[in-house]
Amino acid sequence: MNAQSTDIATYNFAYLDEQTKRMIRRAILKGIAIPGYQVPFASREMPMPYGWGTGGVQVTASIIGPDDVLKVIDQGADDTTNAVSIRAFFKKVAKVAVTTETAKASIIQTRHRIPEQPLSAGQVLVFQVPIPEPLRFLEPRETETRKMHALEEYGLMHVKLYEDIARHGRIATTYAYPVKVEGRYVMDPSPTPKFDNPKMHRSPALQLFGAGREKRIYAVPPFTDVVSLDFEDHPFEVQTFDQPCALCGAENVYLDEVILDDHGGHMFVCSDTDHCEKRRADGHHGHLAPETHSASEKMEPAE
Amino acid sequence: MTDEPLLRVSALSKFYGSRVGCENVTFDLWPGEVLAVVGESGSGKTTLLNCLSTRLLPSSGTASYRMRDGLWRELYRMSEAERRFLMRTDWGFVHQNPADGLRMTVSAGANVGERLMAVGDRHYGRIRATAVDWLSRVEIDEDRIDDEPRAFSGGMRQRLQIARNLVTGPRLVFMDEPTGGLDVSVQARLLDLLRGLVTDLGLAAIVVTHDLAVARLLSQRMMVMKDGRVVESGLTDRVLDDPRAPYTQLLVSSILQV
Amino acid sequence: MMATPLVVSDVAKSFTMHLRDGVTLPVVTGVSFSIRAGECAVLGGPSGAGKSSILKMLYGNYAVDEGQIIVQHGGGLIDLASASPRTVLAVRRHTIGYVSQFLRTVPRVPALDVVAEPLVERGEDREIARAKARSLLAQLNLPEKLWALPPATFSGGEQQRVNIARGFITEHPILLLDEPTASLDAKNRDVVVELIAAKKAAGVALLGIFHDLDVREAVADRVIDVTAFAAGKIAA
């Protein structure tokens, strides 16, 4: 790949034309001004199918600059197809530096997870959102859901949670768990596990949400209240895991089940691959970790 | 009984282009009073009901409602947010087709509980207990609380719709042919239930029906409509036993005797 | 209590039959009489003379074309002939009771509650009202096993006794009776006569239609001849 300058086709920086980026930036600014409000925008065709993060990609393309460092995760992992492709896309069309390290990234585009390592001020988390409307499954009419947001009629959201408790004895919604932003708009945090909901609350990072197919952008500015909906007698709770990560021994992190063989062998490992690798590099190991030359046993305070 | 009405309607008209929906309707409704609006299809009774319940804006005329704080508000000058709030707290609307008034894909309990959650109740146990109580008041077994109304018979759905509307203790309920489309025996049960609830709760109601027997059983007063106009109004038994207007006489003489 | 709670003056009534080319059927005209408290007056005259229509006008069930019906109600006087529906309802609730010829039954409501209902509507405790209903139904010899059943399937006599109990349970100062004894046997007719006597003793003004001569003899203080109010020239 050394012949870039001689390529026949050249792209505008970050693929989108400047007018489109301006339009999307306006939508983003409006979203930031009205936390949790879904701003319609003229979503463009992107060189990837819907469902692959076209909304997130457009948001990233509109905010990225030459000095940015981009990290892309899919279900917490930096090395899955979706993450690899989007990272490669921006490497090619914006020639930006990329990283897998959460702390080093200035922009993190994510599908379905928020990194375990707390984000810091100046970082931007871009979510890929399939269905931005939290009321959609109970109220199919867009005209009606818009009215409900406008008039703050959110009783229906609790109907959904009520149904959960009536059917399962507890709130069984585990992902895309609805939140109320800054005491006003009810928002779908995208299909992240509810485990990550508390990380959104008063986060120092800017959180942007892009839904390409549904043509909506919304935002949570830094240090904004994000409260998960619940009942007084059935308060919001995050998932807990009864064992630590099999590779790095981390507790209180979100785990994925990995099938090891076709005899029922399996293990639970960190969904956040960067977090897991870092911990192992720091000498932590779980019960299934391959033997490493872990030197020091310096205890790093796990979050 | 208070000395003030609950609803004051003055010269209400609704035109669809040059066609008359309803024209120049004026009446007062007092707390605890049931008013039947009768007439055949196309007489404007449903247009009137939709205007009164603010589901439709009239072309002219006013309607004022005495809010719970005793203040009079003009319905058509209220903001949509206020009207919708009124609609799910102090008012009820019972549709002829229960599917129009229920959420068919959520459980009976959630259907009853929705209004409570909409006004901010956030205690599952309390919401559920209230739902159980209301289901029993409309004669639905407690063990059906987690079933969806799709699994209910027509009569049960209608009773569920009534419970869903009454759970917030409304003072005014609009009913559009509440017994339409039901079997006669189911109708009788529903009417009896409605009659009891209206008396026990002191509800005011405006009931649109083409069935004079329903009007006689439920209402103290009635208005007869034809071609969008009120042709006769008065005490229900007076209108039915001594009809004065030609059209009312025709209606009354057309009742089948059993 | 005012000695004359009901004064009727110059009342006229006709029916206009719009379905028969607007032909007008005069019923009565110039109806004038008054009823004193503690008195039972009886409307007399042949069938079709308008006795029942007069009773229905006094109850607000029929509209009045002309004249006044002055009723002592709620500490004042009101003209029932021109009163609003809401006032008529209040008069029915508190001042004028009515025992109709036929019971209009409501599906599924047991006889006991049919009888107790007027008291409950006036704000009486439901259990107290039911107790009173029980004693009245017992007095009228309605078999106890029927009390919990809706009266729709009762015989004419049984329905009428339910109807009488319903009419007599309240303490309205004016009571209108439209042939309350028509389908009763002698024993129960006597009970009704006793009930009427008790109402008279309590100062109630009663106006009734009784075709049964024995009952009429027993209860009537005075007969008001309705033929005097015949409207126009009625053939035959």
Side-chain angles (χ1 to χ4, degrees), chain B residues 23-24 69 84 86-87 126 130 147 180 219:
Chain B
E23 192 172 6
N24 203 21
D69 59 9
R84 284 170 71 114
L86 195 62
M87 199 70 204
R126 210 161 46 217
T130 309
D147 292 348
S219 71

Side-chain angles (χ1 to χ4, degrees), chain B residues 15 45 72 82 97 106 111 113 169 185 201 207 221 224 257:
Chain B
F15 299 98
K45 55 192 198 304
W72 283 93
E82 289 174 305
N97 179 1
V106 305
N111 263 291
S185 59
L201 305 172
V207 184
R221 271 171 54 204
V224 182
Q257 299 287 338

Side-chain angles (χ1 to χ4, degrees), chain C residues 126-194:
Chain C
R126 194 173 288 274
E127 280 317 308
I128 294 173
R130 280 191 181 137
K132 204 166 171 195
R134 274 187 209 100
S135 89
L136 265 172
L137 288 173
Q139 199 180 348
L140 284 156
N141 303 303
L142 190 77
E144 201 172 332
K145 63 177 191 292
L146 296 181
W147 296 359
L149 301 177
T153 54
F154 290 8
S155 72
E158 286 161 354
Q159 286 197 2
Q160 187 146 44
R161 277 176 276 162
V162 171
N163 212 11
I164 291 165
R166 183 182 158 90
F168 277 83
I169 195 167
T170 53
E171 281 158 10
H172 286 105
I174 301 169
L175 191 55
L176 308 175
L177 307 167
D178 192 353
E179 298 204 48
T181 56
S183 9
L184 298 186
D185 58 23
K187 189 169 93 182
N188 285 312
R189 276 203 295 271
D190 292 344
V191 175
V192 174
V193 170
E194 280 167 33

Side-chain angles (χ1 to χ4, degrees), chain A residues 144 147 153 163 232-233, chain B residues 84 88 107 122 124-125:
Chain A
E144 187 64 18
K147 212 168 262 179
E153 288 183 7
E163 288 289 85
E232 288 159 23
D233 48 346
Chain B
R84 284 170 71 114
R88 58 173 196 263
S107 68
R122 293 288 176 265
Y124 174 82

Side-chain angles (χ1 to χ4, degrees), chain B residues 1-2 30 139 188-189 192 195 200 216-217 220-221 234-235 237-238 241-242 244-246 249-250 253, chain C residues 13-19 60-63 65 85-86 88-89 92 104 106-109 117 126:
Chain B
M1 277 254 173
T2 52
W30 271 268
E139 303 171 15
R189 182 178 185 186
D192 174 39
R195 209 171 154 269
D200 292 349
R216 188 186 290 269
L217 213 53
Q220 291 101 38
R221 271 171 54 204
L235 274 183
D237 62 89
R238 205 282 296 154
D241 294 342
D242 183 15
R244 318 278 277 174
Q249 292 188 357
L250 177 68
S253 67
Chain C
K13 169 75 187 165
S14 63
F15 290 113
T16 304
M17 315 295 275
H18 293 285
L19 302 182
N61 181 226
Y62 276 6
D65 295 347
R86 193 171 133 76
V88 176
L89 286 173
R92 288 181 183 180
R104 194 175 281 282
V106 176
R108 296 212 310 166
V109 180
E117 192 179 36
R126 194 173 288 274

Side-chain angles (χ1 to χ4, degrees), chain B residues 114-229:
Chain B
E114 182 177 342
R115 275 179 165 233
L116 297 173
M117 295 181 245
V119 295
D121 200 328
R122 293 288 176 265
H123 191 283
Y124 174 82
R126 210 161 46 217
I127 292 166
R128 195 163 170 90
T130 309
V132 167
D133 176 45
W134 268 98
L135 290 179
S136 78
R137 289 173 86 160
V138 297
E139 303 171 15
I140 295 175
D141 282 341
E142 188 181 335
D143 62 10
R144 303 300 302 270
I145 188 168
D146 293 328
D147 292 348
E148 291 176 6
R150 284 193 290 203
F152 287 4
S153 68
M156 270 175 88
R157 286 180 187 182
Q158 197 56 293
R159 280 180 274 132
L160 179 63
Q161 191 191 183
I162 289 163
R164 173 179 159 89
N165 271 286
L166 298 188
V167 66
T168 49
R171 293 185 302 158
L172 173 60
V173 178
F174 301 95
M175 303 189 205
D176 188 6
E177 303 276 6
T179 60
L182 298 176
D183 292 341
V184 178
S185 59
V186 177
Q187 250 189 45
R189 182 178 185 186
L190 189 73
L191 281 173
D192 174 39
L193 183 79
L194 276 175
R195 209 171 154 269
L197 288 172
V198 164
T199 320
D200 292 349
L201 305 172
L203 288 179
I206 296 177
V207 184
V208 157
T209 179
H210 66 274
D211 187 336
L212 297 180
V214 169
R216 188 186 290 269
L217 213 53
L218 284 182
S219 71
Q220 291 101 38
R221 271 171 54 204
M222 67 188 271
M223 297 198 306
V224 182
M225 290 189 73
K226 185 181 191 315
D227 301 331
R229 289 173 196 86

